[in-house]
Amino acid sequence: MKRISIFGATGSIGQSTIDLIKRDQGSYNVVALTGGANIAQLAQDARDLSADIAITAYDDRLPELRDALSGTGIEAAAGQAALIEAAARPADWIMSAIVGAAGLAPGFEALKHGTCLALANKESLVTAGPLLLAEAAKHNARILPVDSEHSAVFQGLVGEQISEVERVIITASGGPFRTWSTEQLKGATLAQACKHPSWDMGQRITIDSASMFNKALEIIETKEYFGLSPDQIEVIVHPGSYIHALVGFKDGALMAHMGAPDMRHAIGYALHWPERRDLPVERLDLAKLGSLQFEAPDEFRFPALRLARDVMQTGGLAGAVFNAAKETALDLFIAGRIGFTDMAELVEQVLAQMSLDLSHQDVQISLDMVYEADAEARARVLSLQARA
Ligand code: NDP
């Protein structure tokens, strides 16, 4: 039986993972499930899957979780230390699907124990990519990409040499504001930003898709995970989201990965890797699709893409600052305190303010430095917003 844990079990990726597990429950021994505020879902899944332990990220929600699990024999725990302790429990496969930089520490801990980490939490690679990969190598652990674009590239590289790759093209749906003008974008509302045309995802990544911050994170994630140079990574807008990524080789061949926009595809690939198993995803009917649409991305209307290039150029702690500033600006947008286009402006200002300290070309970056840069970037966004 495969021992598995799911971090971020109550979220969109977590629930898709659980859907796959429940279809073949006899093959899995569920060690830990973690969630945040959705205690009812966490307790229900822990019961259904007979998990050893369920953990909420929030200390004050522990009594509620204990109540919901009473009489089951399933352990209940809460808080950051409990998440880290759960990540250290022996498991063959761990899904990292907490949203945001909060996902970094449990994933890092899991790697120390040589597990196979299915990484949906792109923020881990953006904020601390080199550290994470070094930790995996040190402990003979494996990181498998779950982001659909990165899973697609990973699959496109099976049997290939990375040295023969000329470029990687990741697709972007363009989000709900693909055709909007800059003036229209200024007035974009939360409800409008939460309507993704092709993917069904958590609220935060959905808004990040509308602003293209999600694609910006993914460009950096591509660089870190595959060890490519920034000029080898391209983005193409492809509204249908049927092609997830393309790998271009030095002989000019371009290998595309296609599939229905359903995250159970990439999750299932990581779950069963290196095998392929039957997955409950729609099979594409190409004749019905008829044609595929592509457009160049617009870095003027969606400055997050341009900022991602600056971040890769700077290196060092720039990814941590970029992500933390983006997360804080996103919180402010969700709270109705800033407009849609203010998010990119705030992130750009914070990157500019901190640029002198960021690159650390000659310094060995530590996790503590990542957390410090993260905290400072968050504080700077709040201070800039307070002064506006
Ligand atoms: P959701 O918002 O749907 O779920 C996030 C999960 O993290 C929930 O279980 C939530 O708990 C938990 N959580 C929230 N805050 C914290 C915290 N501070 N500490 C610990 N746990 C917390 O996110 P998604 O599933 O959409 O995304 C998860 C990750 O996967 C993100 O990094 C995202 O970028 C990435 N990803 C997502 C895709 C998708 O299709 N959704 C596609 C590709 C990548 P609760 O809900 O109980 O509060």
Side-chain angles (χ1 to χ4, degrees):
M1 288 239 278
K2 195 166 181 168
R3 295 165 304 172
I4 68 160
S5 291
I6 305 171
F7 284 72
T10 50
S12 164
I13 291 287
Q15 290 293 296
S16 293
T17 309
I18 287 173
D19 175 75
L20 294 179
I21 301 298
K22 281 187 175 169
R23 289 166 192 265
D24 187 16
Q25 210 163 320
S27 302
Y28 302 99
N29 177 357
V30 177
V31 180
L33 295 182
T34 88
N38 193 347
I39 303 296
Q41 186 70 56
L42 179 61
Q44 184 63 50
D45 289 326
R47 282 169 178 267
D48 292 349
L49 296 172
S50 303
D52 296 344
I53 183 168
I55 303 126
T56 163
Y58 307 121
D59 292 304
D60 60 341
R61 305 298 298 275
L62 182 57
E64 202 183 324
L65 182 61
R66 278 205 179 115
D67 277 356
L69 291 174
S70 74
T72 61
I74 300 169
E75 278 179 73
Q80 188 65 14
L83 287 173
I84 303 297
E85 190 274 328
R89 293 193 178 200
D92 303 303
W93 188 89
I94 294 184
M95 168 54 78
S96 165
I98 288 175
V99 67
L104 174 60
F108 204 83
E109 180 66 27
L111 291 174
K112 285 187 187 161
H113 302 273
T115 192
C116 178
L117 187 70
L119 192 65
N121 179 269
K122 61 193 81 183
E123 296 88 344
S124 294
L125 280 170
V126 171
T127 57
L131 287 173
L132 210 68
L133 295 173
E135 201 65 13
K138 188 168 152 194
H139 301 285
N140 209 16
R142 182 166 273 279
I143 301 176
L144 293 174
V146 172
D147 226 341
S148 59
E149 297 76 3
H150 305 78
S151 173
V153 174
F154 187 75
Q155 294 179 50
L157 288 172
V158 172
E160 307 286 354
Q161 300 295 326
I162 193 82
S163 56
E164 291 175 351
V165 172
E166 193 172 61
R167 60 182 175 149
V168 156
I169 307 173
I170 58 173
T171 60
S173 69
F177 305 143
R178 180 171 62 86
T179 58
W180 287 33
S181 67
T182 306
E183 268 320 298
Q184 285 174 305
L185 286 173
K186 282 186 184 154
T189 66
L190 178 60
Q192 289 166 330
C194 286
K195 282 201 187 108
H196 198 280
S198 45
W199 291 96
D200 181 14
M201 309 182 285
Q203 186 197 45
R204 297 181 74 86
I205 185 175
T206 302
I207 302 168
D208 284 348
S209 296
S211 62
M212 289 267 193
F213 266 113
N214 181 48
K215 207 50 55 183
L217 296 177
E218 288 177 6
I219 297 173
I220 304 168
E221 186 186 5
T222 306
K223 171 186 171 285
E224 297 298 346
Y225 186 82
F226 297 103
L228 297 168
S229 66
D231 59 6
Q232 286 179 292
I233 305 164
E234 299 172 22
V235 173
I236 188 82
V237 175
H238 166 47
S241 305
Y242 299 111
I243 295 181
H244 306 309
L246 304 97
V247 183
F249 294 93
K250 61 185 182 189
D251 60 357
L254 207 47
M255 308 273 276
H257 178 284
M258 295 185 74
D262 183 334
M263 283 308 294
R264 290 177 304 176
H265 208 140
I267 296 167
Y269 185 78
L271 182 62
H272 302 306
W273 180 88
E275 294 170 21
R276 282 189 189 270
R277 301 237 183 111
D278 190 15
L279 292 174
V281 297
E282 184 194 334
R283 271 47 174 174
L284 288 184
D285 180 338
L286 295 180
K288 210 161 141 194
L289 286 185
S291 61
L292 297 169
Q293 188 186 349
F294 300 104
E295 293 164 14
D298 183 341
E299 296 192 0
F300 179 72
R301 283 184 302 130
F302 298 101
L305 297 174
R306 171 174 53 77
L307 295 179
R309 306 245 166 236
D310 296 346
V311 167
M312 289 190 292
Q313 211 60 47
T314 308
L317 294 166
V321 166
F322 179 65
N323 179 68
K326 187 280 297 176
E327 285 190 24
T328 314
L330 177 59
D331 288 338
L332 293 171
F333 175 68
I334 292 172
R337 290 169 59 192
I338 61 171
F340 185 76
T341 51
D342 296 333
M343 288 191 283
E345 279 180 30
L346 281 169
V347 173
E348 184 159 18
Q349 283 178 53
V350 169
L351 278 170
Q353 281 184 359
M354 293 176 71
S355 66
L356 280 181
D357 306 326
L358 289 179
S359 66
H360 293 278
Q361 301 288 5
D362 306 322
V363 182
Q364 181 79 27
I365 285 173
S366 67
L367 218 45
D368 284 344
M369 289 165 76
V370 169
Y371 290 132
E372 274 168 33
D374 174 292
E376 185 174 344
R378 287 173 200 268
R380 282 181 186 257
V381 170
L382 294 176
S383 144
L384 279 167
Q385 197 268 331
R387 278 190 267 138

